[in-house]
Every structure is written in structure tokens, then in C-alpha cells.
Amino acid sequence: MNNKYFPLDRAALDDLALRYPTPFYIYDEKAIIENVRRIKAAFSVFPAYKNYFAVKALPNPYILKILAAEGFGADCASYAELLLAEMSGMKGEDIMFTSNETPAKEYAAAINMGAVINLDDFTHIEFLEKTAGLPELISMRYNPGPLKEGNAIIGKPEEAKYGFTRGQLIQGYALLRQKGVKRFALHTMVASNELSVPYHIETARMLFELAVEISGKTGVRLEFINLGGGVGIPYKPDQSAVDLKALVEGIQNAYNEVLVPAGLSPMNIRTEWGRVVTGPYGWLVTRAVHKKEIYRSYIALDACMADFMRPAYYGAYHHITVPGKEDALLTETYDIVGSLCENNDKFAVQRQLPKIETAAESGIKGDFVVIHDAGAHGRAMGFNYNGKLRCGELLLRADGSVMQIRRSETVEDYFATLNLDGVKDFT
């Protein structure tokens, strides 16, 4: 049975697919806005709060404009992401540039935009100073190593390539202050898609205690603490969403117990949530094309791993429903697959679903298949292996209309970067 939300019924999908053939992503503007407002309301207990949306999760300027209008900023990791944030109306310190192994030209671009620079390595202090100059405000990313457990997606902190050690941080703040930097911030990111509320509260407490240590050893008073991202979403129907009230209450308790007695309140609180902001409000809509019966039953879709790689790459679960059959019994067991020449091109393995009618069987278009919770790290992680062309993106507006916010790729797009002028005569 279906207990995952999807905003369109079978009839609406039939109509939509006449204008925009499958596969496509579709995002729910109204639901995203409502979610953003819930997050802001929850964190309103702090003196100041801002979320820098992780652009990597859903790099589309239409989505970013929606978030900017609600007061969110952008967390960027590349020049292209900086440009996306800028074209979405985000300016200056609404943008945080959190990259690693960063080229000089990207640091320069971020500084020219007035973005907050979030350094990833101690050697980048000198590199930044020599190549782009030191801005007034600098943040640094902390890697706690074995002091903090990671999780399967991001790995153990001590094995991760990101961030400063504790000792490097202390040295780094002292050095930056000596070099004339006036404003400072602290950041970490130690997990991804983590549903445990205590885990995130412990991360906040760790950063608050570190802020006290930094102040005591260097005289630096941080302007804000960025708790990072990593809050998960309930991909499986039996999972529960993170309790925002409990999460914020726990962070507030740690704030009051650590920062207030140390004289470091008021302290601005920041996050860089991406997945939890848009993830549940985006879907990959595709159709069933073929059915194959060998040692297992396979349903092949007109989408593939090149459109959406999370299930194959991470072994991630994404709920699947068949519009029009929400109340049908789950009588079949299928592997749901794509057409890529890779055996791991699977959206689901041995998944119980209602009977699915394919285009090959019926001679007409097959059933729609909806892959849920694809509103983050979905289209963004697409690729062109096998010459596959990535699908487009649609936005379900708050008024019920639908607009295309990214068209599907064409063969001309695929060949656009090749120098074809001399191919015929090349030997």
C-alpha cells in the first residue's frame, strides 16, 4: 500500500506527460515553502539563524529563488554553484563558499561576490592570502577525527579529506587574527542523512565547547557557528522524520549550558541543510517499458542510473509507487531497472509492488512509476555514461500550474563540447 505523499494523481500525470514526456523530475513549490517556514520557526529561539541551502543537493536557480525569497542563503562548493546562487538573487554573506582543494580563481570569485569563505585546510590560509587576499570574515571547517563518529555516506571523520584538526584550528585563528582578519566563524560537517536527534545535538555541543576553547586560547570571539548539514529524511515508509522541536530544544540546552556561562552569547547559529529542505518534495517520474522474466522478474523503466544514481551508488532505498494503483495489493516482486550497461543500474531490488503494466506488453504507454524522495541529490548527480541524456525538471507551482525549469538534454547537448570540425578528415 502507498503511504508516501505524491501531489498528482494518474489523470494529472497523463495530461502532464503529453507536454513533458517521461522521465522527468517534479518538485512541489508549496510543500518546500511550508517546510522552510517550519525550519525557520523551529530555530527562531536563537538570537539569529540562517540556513545556507546546500546547492549541490538541487542546483536549479528556480528552486534557489524560492529559498532566497524565504530568507535562506546558499552553501556553494564550486564556481558554477556560486553563479547559481548569484543569479538567484543571493548576495554577499547570504552565500557561504565551502569547498576543498580549491583553485585560486574560485577563491577570488567568492571574495569578489562578498561570500563567506569557509577554509578547509590550514595551508589554504597562506594560499588565499597570496592569490586572492584575506577577507574581513573567515570561517574554518573542523574535522574532529576519532572524537566523533561519522556514518556510511560521509565516512569516519578521521578518514575524511575535509577540515582542520583541533590544533590546526587554534593555530589558524591565531594566525588569521595576526594577519588582520576581524571576523571569524566555525563550521563542521561530520555526517550525511543522519536521522538521530542526539547525534546532531552532540555535534552542536562539540562545536559550542570548541568555541569556548578557541576564545580562551586565542581571544577570538566567533561571530557564528555553522552546525553543518547531515540531517536525514525518512526514505523508508516505516521511518520517522527528525523531530525539529526535540532537535532545537537539545541544541538550545547545549547553547545555554556551554556558551552562555562563557560569555559567548548571543551567538548566531547557522546550518547548511539541503536534503531535509527539498528531498521529500521531489520525485522522479518514469514509465515502465519492458518486463523480463528469467531468474527474477524485472521491470525496465525509461529512466536509468544516469538520471538518478543514489540507489545504485549508495545502495539507498527509495520508495516506489505506481500512480492509479495506490490501493492495489503488493502481489509482485520485481527488480526495477534501467537501460544502462551496468548490472547495478537498479532502482529497487526484490521490491514488493502491485502488478505493473509495461509499454511492451500493452502496445501503449506503460504504467507510471514514481520514485520518491528524489528532491535532493537526484538530477544533480546525473551523468552521461553510455551516451545517456539526462532528464528535465518541472516545478509544481503553488497555484497548481506546472512549469519546466530545466529541459531534457538532447543529442546536440551531448556533442556540444566536441570539436567535430575536423573529425571527417582526421587520421
Side-chain angles (χ1 to χ4, degrees):
M1 306 291 280
N2 175 28
N3 57 354
K4 279 273 190 180
Y5 167 73
F6 181 64
L8 302 174
D9 59 20
R10 173 63 191 256
L13 277 181
D14 281 329
D15 179 64
L16 192 59
L18 294 176
R19 290 178 285 153
Y20 306 109
T22 57
F24 55 75
Y25 282 88
I26 187 164
Y27 311 111
D28 187 334
E29 178 184 26
K30 182 173 181 288
I32 290 172
I33 290 172
E34 289 173 349
N35 188 40
V36 166
R37 292 176 181 175
R38 281 194 297 270
I39 293 169
K40 288 167 58 181
F43 278 90
S44 65
V45 299
F46 294 105
Y49 169 73
K50 179 181 284 289
N51 182 63
Y52 296 102
F53 178 74
V55 176
K56 64 187 176 187
L58 184 45
N60 190 296
Y62 289 89
I63 301 298
L64 296 181
K65 286 193 78 169
I66 292 169
L67 300 178
E70 293 296 318
F72 273 18
D75 181 75
C76 302
S78 69
Y79 179 59
E81 290 187 353
L82 286 169
L83 293 179
L84 282 169
E86 189 175 52
M87 71 176 65
S88 304
M90 298 176 186
K91 298 179 180 179
E93 293 178 14
D94 287 337
I95 302 171
M96 191 156 182
F97 187 53
T98 304
S99 72
N100 64 93
E101 315 310 331
T102 309
K105 63 181 181 181
E106 296 197 2
Y107 272 140
I111 288 176
N112 287 338
M113 290 180 183
V116 179
I117 303 297
N118 190 24
L119 293 177
D120 187 66
D121 183 69
F122 183 82
T123 65
H124 286 206
I125 296 174
E126 182 178 3
F127 181 76
L128 180 63
E129 183 179 30
K130 287 181 176 179
T131 59
L134 295 176
E136 181 183 80
L137 168 62
I138 289 185
S139 175
M140 290 190 285
R141 177 173 181 166
Y142 175 47
N143 181 333
L147 297 178
K148 184 73 178 173
E149 292 184 1
N151 64 11
I153 293 178
I154 206 168
K156 297 179 180 178
E158 66 266 32
E159 297 174 359
K161 66 176 182 175
Y162 308 110
F164 291 63
T165 66
R166 200 178 194 92
Q168 288 173 335
L169 271 183
I170 301 298
Q171 187 180 356
Y173 284 114
L175 180 60
L176 287 169
R177 189 180 190 190
Q178 178 186 328
K179 289 180 176 294
V181 174
K182 304 296 185 185
R183 301 163 61 204
F184 304 91
L186 174 65
H187 163 273
T188 199
M189 175 74 177
V190 289
S192 183
N193 193 38
E194 179 58 62
L195 289 169
S196 168
V197 168
Y199 183 95
H200 296 292
I201 295 171
E202 290 164 9
T203 299
R205 181 178 291 275
M206 174 187 72
L207 290 178
F208 297 161
E209 291 173 349
L210 181 55
V212 174
E213 182 180 351
I214 291 166
S215 176
K217 291 183 176 179
T218 69
V220 165
R221 191 190 191 287
L222 299 174
E223 185 168 314
F224 69 79
I225 294 175
N226 187 335
L227 307 178
V231 173
I233 61 175
Y235 285 104
K236 296 181 179 180
D238 60 350
Q239 292 176 318
S240 298
V242 167
D243 185 333
L244 278 178
K245 181 180 179 182
L247 173 63
V248 172
E249 283 180 355
I251 294 173
Q252 186 180 30
N253 288 338
Y255 180 105
N256 291 334
E257 292 168 7
V258 178
L259 293 179
V260 172
L264 297 183
S265 179
M267 176 71 73
N268 297 332
I269 300 299
R270 304 284 187 261
T271 54
E272 61 175 54
W273 290 0
R275 186 193 315 267
V276 75
V277 176
T278 59
Y281 312 112
W283 301 264
L284 176 58
V285 179
T286 176
R287 280 190 187 270
V289 180
H290 295 285
K291 181 179 181 182
K292 181 172 183 174
E293 297 279 4
I294 46 173
Y295 306 104
R296 291 182 175 184
S297 295
Y298 295 89
I299 296 294
L301 308 180
D302 59 9
C304 70
M305 177 184 172
D307 294 302
F308 187 42
M309 69 183 293
R310 290 196 77 254
Y313 189 71
Y314 295 114
Y317 178 96
H318 280 264
H319 198 59
I320 291 175
T321 56
V322 183
K325 297 182 178 180
E326 290 86 354
D327 297 323
L329 295 177
L330 309 182
T331 58
E332 312 300 314
T333 301
Y334 297 122
D335 279 15
I336 306 297
V337 304
S339 59
L340 207 66
C341 292
E342 293 289 336
N343 193 46
N344 65 340
D345 181 18
K346 297 180 179 181
F347 297 107
V349 176
Q350 295 295 278
R351 185 74 59 86
Q352 290 185 300
L353 291 163
K355 183 176 176 59
I356 296 175
E357 185 175 23
T358 69
E361 291 175 301
S362 65
I364 57 174
K365 293 179 179 178
D367 279 334
F368 289 105
V369 174
V370 172
I371 300 173
H372 290 253
D373 300 306
H377 309 287
R379 175 60 171 74
M381 297 179 74
F383 55 93
N384 290 123
Y385 181 61
N386 264 176
K388 295 297 184 180
L389 305 174
R390 290 170 291 188
C391 65
E393 296 174 298
L394 308 179
L395 181 65
L396 175 62
R397 302 301 310 274
D399 64 5
S401 64
V402 175
M403 67 179 294
Q404 185 180 65
I405 59 174
R406 189 195 299 268
R407 64 169 174 78
S408 300
E409 289 182 334
T410 65
V411 172
E412 289 75 21
D413 295 323
Y414 181 74
F415 290 124
T417 55
L418 288 172
N419 176 12
L420 298 177
D421 293 341
V423 171
K424 183 178 179 180
D425 300 321
F426 180 76
T427 59

